[in-house]
Structure formats: C-alpha cells, structure tokens
Amino acid sequence: MDAIGRNLIRRNDEWTEASLREQIRDASSRYHGGIRDESGIARPTHVGTPRYMAVWACALVHPQSRYYHDSGLLEAFGLAADFLLSRQHPDGTVSLGSTNFNSPPDTAFVVGGLAQVYRLLEEHPWTPLAQAREKLRLFLEQTIPAMETGGCHTPNHRWVLTAALAMLHELFGRPELAARAEAWLAEGMDITADGEWTERSNGIYNAVSNIALYHTARLLGRPELLEYVRRNLRMMAYLFHPGGEVVTDYSGRQDFGQAADPAPYALVCRLMAAHDRDGLLASMADYAAGFVRQPEAVNNNLLLGCLLDPSLSLEGVERTPLPDRYEVVLNGTHPVREHTALAEAAGHGMRILHSSMHLAFGSPVVRIRDGDLSATVMAGTPSFLSLRHGRAKLLGVKLAASFEPGIVKFDEFESAGGGKYRLARTAEKGYNGPVPQAMLPARPGGGDLSPWYLLPHQHRPMTHLQEHRLEAEVSRLAGEWKIRVRSDGREDVLAQLTFVFAADGELAGEGLQPAGEGRHFLTGGRAVYRAAEAALELEGGAFEHRLHVLREDVHPADCRCVHINLVTPFDHTVTIRLL
C-alpha cells in the first residue's frame, strides 16, 4: 500500500472514532441510529449518515484498520442501517431536509454510494456482516420505483440518477432500470468542447457529474461517456490557485466565490488515471488526495473506491507535473450567443420550474498563472476579473450601472492578444404599450376590476426602446494590470466600479473615504491593499456621484470593497500594481 493509502486508513479510523460519538443511541428518538450532522440532527442523505456508513464499512473490512472486524462498530453500522430504513418514505425516497423532500435525486446520491458499500460488504467473507448487508439491500431495493420514475432539478442530477440506475441494474438486473438511464442519457451531454459543465461549478458539481458518469459508463457499457469526464478533468488542471484552492469566481451554483479545494476530484482522477494510464491525471489524483481532510459524500469516498477496485494502483504511471505558468482561454469559441438565440424557439419562455436556465453556460474564461500570481478574466458573471498575488486577494472586480439597473454581466468577449482582453455588453430597455384590445381577457365577474397579473403582458408592444453600451478592457503588463472601462455617449447613467478584496488584508491610502462597514470610496490618488508580504496598489479613483450602492446591486459581506463612482459618458482607467 502506498503512502496515500496508509494516510487514508489512518484518517478513516479518526473519522470513525469521531462519528461514533455522534451516533444517536436514544431508542426513543426518531433519529435513533443516525449520526448527527452540523444541524444537531441526523439525516439520511449522501452527506449525512450514509457518508459515515461508508467510512465504517471501510474500517470494518480493512485489516490495517484498528476497527477491523470490531463488533461494536458492526452493531453501530446495523443501527445506522435501521435508521435509513426508518427514514425512507413509502415511495422509496429520502428527503434532503434543508430542502428537496421525497427527493429522487437526493435518493440517487445515496444509492450511488450505498450500492458501493453493499458490494464491499458482499465481497468480504465475514459472516457477521450478513444482517447489516441485507438491510442495505432492502433499502436499495425499495428505492427502485422512485429511481425508475423520478425526476430531477438540476443538470447534474440527471447523471447522478443514471449512476444510481446503473448500480441498481447491476444488483437487481431489471431492464427497466437501464432503460430509464438511457432515457436521461438521450438528452445529450451539457459540456463544452473545453470541458465546462452547465453549472460551471468547479467547487462542487463538476466532481459530482464526473464520478456519476464514470460509473454510468462502466456499468452500462458506454465508454464514450468517459471522454466528457476526461475533458472536464483536463480543464480543471488550469483552475487551481497557488496553494490548491479551486477557482470558484464564476460558478453558477452555491460554491460561487466560496473557498473550495481539490479533494472531491481525488477519486475520479485516480479512476481515470488508472484507466488511461495518464500522467497528468495521476498527478491531479495525488495532488487532490493531499487535500482530503474529511470524508467526501457517500457516492465519492476515495478509500471505498480504492478498496472496491484494487487495480487502481498508479504504480508505473509517470507523472506529468501540473501546470503553474500559463495563459489559456477556455470556451473562447463556444457559440454562447447563437445558443441563447435558439432558446427563444425552445418554447419554455426562459422559465423552468424549481431550477435555473444557466444562460452563462459556455461563457469565455481566461486563466493566468505565473508562480504565485493567479488571475481569472470572466464573461457572463457579476465579476469580470479576479487576481491573487501571494496572500493579497482581489476576489472580484464588478461594474454596476443604473441603466438596466444593476450589475453588468458582460456577454461579449474578445482576446486582443498581448495579454489584453475586451468585454462588452449592450443593454436594452424599453417601455410596454397597451395590450391590443382583441387580446384582452374577460374581466372576472364582468365588472371594472382588472388585476394586473391577469393581463397577457407578452402581447404588449415595445415603445421607445433604448440601448446603452459598456465596455471593459483588461490588460496584463509587466508588474501591473490596467482596467479600462468605457461607456457610449449616453449621458447621466450612474456607474460604480467595485474592487472586492479579501477581509484578511488591510487598506490604506490618501484617496480613501469611508462608505460603510468594510467599504471605501477611492475618490482620487492611490490606495494599497496589503496581506502578509504581498500588496496590490490601486490608482485611478473618481467620485462623480455620491451613491454608496446602485439600485439592484449587492455588495458582498465579510470583504473589503473599494468603489470608484462614475457618470456617463466616461472612459476611465484604473491601474493595479503588484507590490
């Protein structure tokens, strides 16, 4: 066993010890047998009790674990299985708890992990495991009706469902399960040529889609699906900051702007590196494994995956170093505008129940690394630039304007060469005329009352349509960056350029004026943001209006914001120097 495996077993024992203390042993509790999470109650979800059942199963069957064949742990495991059965609804589903009740996709997450736990216990010849193993089989069997008929909320849920269906098909052999998986797969893959999934979620849902499609490909005999996993992982090689933090600056999900590490990629990188004998993916697997500090969700447990497939050894695979000096454009040729134009004809009216359209899918992203410098230029997001220079973190640069109103999400992108990138947006805003009389509905009760919400607003003709164009140019120079923002000739549109810094640094400068808690105006002169040994200097302040925040804009909490207030027409440049 290599050093990574030995470390995993040691950590797995630590997780086992800690989670045993959180098991609810009060027989009168409806959560009896479950393992408390951060809410203080037990949940039957992939990040709840089943997560620790995977940990316990690995400990029970691994000879180098101090819990190997431990009768007390086996008893606890059996109680946890009873808890799962008690929390399973009559339709076979479980509920997430925080949201998503009687949820097929959340049940699929659990199935995708517990089916692996069942296989591990089935392959281990220790007779006392039989009773607990059969409880798992019963739970899995009872999920089949929901898996065969259940729907989803989000794009990644489809692939989680296909993996669960494939695993249940392997266990129970029902052809309807494979047919349902194929129905989801028939929708096609939501991934760009450069490897970006719909949700643009490098911190969470990339890894979810990847591990699910790996198992789907393996169990349904669909090796072509591995190409999409491979594509995303190769893209991810360019999406790590120095120190390993994952780039989340443009995510379309809850990891947006949140700290995330590569640990969720450890298993799928190892699986794909072993399958392809690929040196880059092997290096990513090693790197990601070094960040494993807690057990991942039950469907993505690294030790469980390694125990189920001893062929996952990467011995003999020559490692390719991860890149740390590059300037790459991702999705530079993806037809975002063409695809969003086609959406008009899809018939959904840009509305999907209990989900999002994710119209930023495929928007260009530029990633730049040069040692301890890491930068991202982004289209389709609230922030169009983030920059890290050592410990000094400029988390985002955003432009807001009163025309639409709100944050400007640039939807045009151009790489101008020489480290220069241009972004733009032309916004439209008009006025709605009266509904044509022939299209007016009958008034309820036949009187004068006509509720606004009953009118067919889609038939109102547009009048006085106005346009407003804003542009941003980001240029990388020796030791500094320049941001040039320009407007068209329209007068009197208020704008605010905001620099969002991490809270762990300090701001100082003669041009700074207070603008609220953690916020300053840069009215002129210079300002310096310093964190540890690194610093960023801003030059190019302006104070052309007095508003602290523009309508429909929101400034993040727990950050240090510097605002530059502008009024159109403007052509304004801010210089960021690396100190």
Side-chain angles (χ1 to χ4, degrees):
M1 177 173 292
D2 62 14
I4 289 175
R6 290 191 296 273
N7 185 54
L8 277 175
I9 293 164
R10 178 183 60 80
R11 286 192 175 276
N12 197 77
D13 281 354
E14 293 171 355
W15 300 331
T16 298
E17 181 179 8
S19 55
L20 279 170
R21 291 195 293 267
E22 296 299 324
Q23 187 173 40
I24 297 170
R25 290 300 191 109
D26 178 2
S28 65
S29 170
R30 59 179 164 173
Y31 304 116
H32 179 227
I35 302 157
R36 295 180 185 87
D37 62 16
E38 66 279 358
S39 70
I41 65 172
R43 302 183 196 271
T45 66
H46 62 299
V47 291
T49 296
R51 167 196 273 182
Y52 293 100
M53 292 178 72
V55 169
W56 294 357
C58 292
L60 284 168
V61 304
H62 201 289
Q64 293 183 21
S65 167
R66 71 174 186 262
Y67 291 96
Y68 179 65
H69 288 187
D70 184 280
S71 59
L73 181 59
L74 179 59
E75 178 192 8
F77 187 94
L79 290 175
D82 289 335
F83 165 77
L84 281 186
L85 289 167
S86 73
R87 305 308 295 171
Q88 190 173 29
H89 303 301
D91 63 4
T93 63
V94 297
S95 293
L96 182 60
S98 56
T99 183
N100 295 358
F101 295 88
N102 291 71
S103 169
D106 289 289
T107 306
F109 274 108
V110 176
V111 169
L114 290 186
Q116 296 180 66
V117 173
Y118 177 82
R119 278 184 53 217
L120 182 71
L121 300 185
E122 187 179 41
E123 293 170 4
H124 189 71
W126 186 40
T127 303
L129 285 173
Q131 186 177 14
R133 185 176 64 237
E134 290 311 304
K135 291 176 183 178
L136 288 189
R137 186 178 179 88
L138 176 60
F139 174 87
L140 293 168
E141 187 171 18
Q142 290 178 167
T143 67
I144 290 175
M147 295 298 94
E148 287 183 352
T149 62
C152 68
H153 283 160
T154 64
N156 78 81
H157 281 173
R158 297 173 298 168
W159 317 137
V160 175
L161 283 159
T162 65
L165 288 158
M167 289 181 182
L168 291 174
H169 180 259
E170 180 188 39
L171 282 176
F172 299 102
R174 292 178 52 160
E176 299 89 347
L177 292 161
R180 182 69 168 185
E182 293 292 348
W184 287 113
L185 292 170
E187 294 191 0
M189 291 294 114
D190 57 312
I191 191 170
T192 68
D194 285 339
E196 185 172 87
W197 293 108
T198 291
E199 293 157 284
R200 313 178 84 199
S201 173
N202 301 327
I204 303 176
Y205 292 107
N206 285 0
V208 168
S209 292
N210 290 342
I211 195 67
L213 279 175
Y214 175 87
H215 289 303
T216 302
R218 174 178 66 86
L219 293 170
L220 295 184
R222 297 285 300 271
E224 69 275 12
L225 298 177
L226 296 180
E227 171 55 27
Y228 307 112
V229 179
R230 192 178 291 119
R231 195 183 294 177
N232 179 258
L233 294 179
R234 288 190 169 278
M235 180 193 79
M236 283 303 303
Y238 298 104
L239 289 161
F240 300 130
H241 293 298
E245 190 174 335
V246 172
V247 175
T248 60
D249 306 322
Y250 60 89
S251 175
R253 294 300 306 276
Q254 67 264 37
D255 56 321
F256 172 65
Q258 300 299 306
D261 63 43
Y265 293 91
L267 176 57
V268 72
C269 283
R270 194 172 184 90
L271 290 165
M272 290 300 296
H275 181 277
D276 292 351
R277 310 307 291 172
D278 185 285
L280 177 64
L281 298 184
S283 290
M284 289 179 66
D286 296 343
Y287 188 60
F291 287 87
V292 175
R293 301 287 185 270
Q294 61 180 1
E296 292 298 320
V298 65
N299 59 310
N300 194 25
N301 183 292
L302 177 58
L303 182 57
L304 176 61
C306 292
L307 294 180
L308 281 171
D309 190 351
S311 69
L312 285 185
S313 170
L314 297 181
E315 185 178 353
V317 179
E318 185 175 350
R319 296 333 195 237
T320 301
L322 295 179
D324 64 358
R325 296 186 186 277
Y326 53 79
E327 185 164 347
V328 298
V329 178
L330 303 172
N331 305 325
T333 59
H334 189 77
V336 179
R337 295 170 73 89
E338 292 89 333
H339 285 180
T340 51
L342 290 172
E344 296 287 336
H348 47 54
M350 294 298 183
R351 182 170 179 262
I352 180 172
L353 291 176
H354 318 305
S355 190
S356 300
M357 298 306 297
H358 293 288
L359 297 177
F361 168 61
S363 295
V365 173
V366 183
R367 278 290 299 145
I368 299 165
R369 278 284 303 272
D370 189 359
D372 67 352
L373 181 139
S374 179
T376 312
V377 181
M378 303 154 280
T381 54
S383 166
F384 62 89
L385 173 69
S386 68
L387 176 64
R388 298 185 181 212
H389 169 51
R391 295 279 297 277
K393 298 179 181 179
L394 174 57
L395 301 178
V397 181
K398 63 190 179 93
L399 180 66
S402 62
F403 181 82
E404 287 190 83
I407 296 173
V408 178
K409 295 184 180 181
F410 293 108
D411 54 9
E412 298 177 32
F413 171 87
E414 176 191 359
S415 177
K420 182 178 293 186
Y421 300 94
R422 298 191 180 104
L423 303 102
R425 174 173 174 77
T426 300
E428 293 184 343
K429 188 175 182 179
Y431 302 83
N432 300 310
V435 177
Q437 192 165 354
M439 295 179 177
L440 287 171
R443 294 177 183 171
D448 292 333
L449 177 65
S450 179
W452 173 260
Y453 54 75
L454 293 182
L455 293 173
H457 298 287
Q458 69 274 20
H459 296 307
R460 294 183 182 277
M462 185 70 68
T463 83
H464 295 77
L465 184 66
Q466 303 297 303
E467 289 187 350
H468 180 46
R469 185 170 178 83
L470 291 167
E471 300 174 352
E473 184 177 273
V474 178
S475 302
R476 181 190 181 199
L477 306 169
E480 66 181 29
W481 293 67
K482 288 190 179 293
I483 299 174
R484 181 185 184 188
V485 289
R486 291 184 290 179
S487 73
D488 61 17
R490 180 178 294 278
E491 295 184 339
D492 299 332
V493 177
L494 306 187
Q496 187 175 68
L497 185 64
T498 298
F499 295 78
V500 182
F501 295 97
D504 58 357
E506 297 297 329
L507 274 169
E510 70 278 10
L512 292 175
Q513 298 296 328
E517 181 66 29
R519 295 162 51 199
H520 296 81
F521 294 118
L522 183 59
T523 60
R526 300 177 181 180
V528 174
Y529 171 81
R530 187 173 300 278
E533 75 293 344
L536 298 170
E537 180 186 73
L538 295 185
E539 182 179 19
F543 192 62
E544 297 176 4
H545 65 83
R546 299 178 180 178
L547 295 185
H548 289 214
V549 61
L550 296 187
R551 180 179 165 192
E552 304 298 326
D553 189 11
V554 176
H555 299 310
D558 301 321
C559 295
R560 301 189 186 280
C561 294
V562 175
H563 307 299
I564 295 174
N565 284 2
L566 302 167
V567 179
T568 63
F570 57 75
D571 185 344
H572 189 81
T573 298
V574 178
T575 300
I576 307 171
R577 295 187 180 90
L578 312 181
L579 303 180

